[in-house]
Amino acid sequence: MPALLLDGNPVHITEVCTALALELGISPWAHEVEVIAIGFGEDLPQLLPTARIAHMRQAAHALRDLSERLLETHQMPETQSQPYLLLCAASLDADTAWQFADVISRSGPVPVTLVAPASSAAAGFPEAELLNASVSEPQHLDHVGIDITVQRLEHAAYMQITTALKVSGQPAHPAEGPWQDVPDEPDRTAQPQPPVSEDLIAPTSSSLAAARDVSSEAFPALVMAATDPSGLRLLPAAIVPAQDHNEPGPDTEAAFSAAADSTTGSSTVSCTDMTSLIRRP
């Protein structure tokens, strides 16, 4: 969306822009977004050196930077186009708002969005959506088709966050007092690996004997395969001559004779006959 206009108390507008700048600055999913803070957040570029955040005191400076960025993209089209977000907490004069609208309309492949107070930017962006920064109830945003609640970061909370960021960026001081007796964390990479038991590598004679003494509840072939797979002897593959499917073969005759014997109750099917039946394609 080219622009998102904020209405309401100017203090609340600044709090909404501050919340957006900080969240985009510390969120990994927004590491490619270039954020320009206009009129607020002077210390954000130093506190978030890895984030693509810049501070500009006046909107005219941000307008010139945006024009130069679009010119570079036009001259080098192979350069990847980063999303460009302008967060303006200060009111824009009518002429600057018109210039922003003209430049953004010709941004081409670069996605540019301006968030600014509606009191001065509404004339340059008549079709932009409007949100009330002073309202805590959900508001409908047609661009995404859902109801949203604006997030405001009060000045006291902002100072707490920036103070924590300043402390985390300072170098560590040598330990003093009781902290000197805290042991270092163990180096897990240098710990030796426990020896592997030989019983887990190859089956011993005792394990093979135990497998042979297993009761009839388990299949002997399965037990032997688990203890000594190399000792299994594979049966030779049966070679079945090609024949007509309608012509009865020896396997079919064996199956018929076995079925007849089982019907009369004379005997059961032999293992050889069953093997030939299973292996027949």
Side-chain angles (χ1 to χ4, degrees):
M1 51 196 314
L4 176 64
L5 304 183
L6 299 178
D7 196 8
N9 192 316
V11 176
H12 294 163
I13 294 177
T14 303
E15 293 175 353
V16 171
C17 293
T18 304
L20 285 173
L22 262 178
E23 185 165 358
L24 293 173
I26 62 178
S27 298
W29 51 266
H31 68 280
E32 295 183 352
V33 180
E34 294 196 31
V35 181
I36 308 299
I38 306 173
F40 73 98
E42 184 176 358
D43 49 353
L44 288 180
Q46 291 76 26
L47 299 178
L48 303 172
T50 58
R52 307 177 68 92
I53 293 184
H55 169 264
M56 297 187 181
R57 296 182 180 273
Q58 300 179 9
H61 301 164
L63 179 62
R64 182 168 57 251
D65 181 79
L66 175 60
S67 302
E68 294 175 356
R69 185 62 52 87
L70 297 179
L71 180 60
E72 293 176 0
T73 305
H74 178 73
Q75 294 176 348
M76 296 181 294
E78 68 279 0
T79 305
Q80 184 179 3
S81 301
Q82 305 287 351
Y84 201 90
L85 178 62
L86 297 159
L87 299 176
C88 183
S91 298
L92 300 175
D93 57 81
D95 185 58
T96 304
W98 280 106
Q99 293 183 43
F100 267 117
D102 180 64
V103 173
I104 293 176
S105 64
R106 296 182 285 106
S107 60
V110 181
V112 181
T113 299
L114 172 66
V115 178
S119 58
S120 56
F125 299 91
E127 298 181 358
E129 292 198 53
L130 179 66
L131 291 177
N132 194 332
S134 300
V135 175
S136 300
E137 288 75 19
Q139 304 177 59
H140 188 74
L141 190 62
D142 294 335
H143 185 74
V144 292
I146 59 174
D147 294 337
I148 65 171
T149 302
V150 294
Q151 178 180 353
R152 295 191 299 266
L153 187 63
E154 297 180 355
H155 182 70
Y158 174 76
M159 294 302 298
Q160 293 179 359
I161 295 176
T162 54
T163 302
L165 291 175
K166 291 178 182 178
V167 174
S168 63
Q170 296 177 356
H173 298 286
E176 298 178 357
W179 292 101
Q180 296 178 349
D181 301 329
V182 177
D184 297 333
E185 295 184 1
D187 187 4
R188 302 182 182 275
T189 59
Q191 292 183 356
Q193 298 295 331
V196 181
S197 176
E198 295 181 356
D199 296 338
L200 301 178
I201 300 177
T204 59
S205 57
S206 59
S207 61
L208 294 176
R212 296 189 183 96
D213 295 338
V214 176
S215 62
S216 58
E217 295 180 359
F219 293 95
L222 181 60
V223 176
M224 290 301 298
T227 55
D228 187 15
S230 61
L232 294 178
R233 294 185 299 274
L234 300 179
L235 297 177
I239 301 177
V240 181
Q243 60 182 0
D244 187 6
H245 293 286
N246 297 327
E247 180 183 354
D251 296 338
T252 309
E253 295 176 356
F256 286 158
S257 60
D261 294 341
S262 61
T263 304
T264 57
S266 58
S267 62
T268 59
V269 180
S270 64
C271 293
T272 304
D273 295 335
M274 289 299 297
T275 303
S276 63
L277 289 175
I278 296 175
R279 288 182 176 174
R280 182 175 181 180

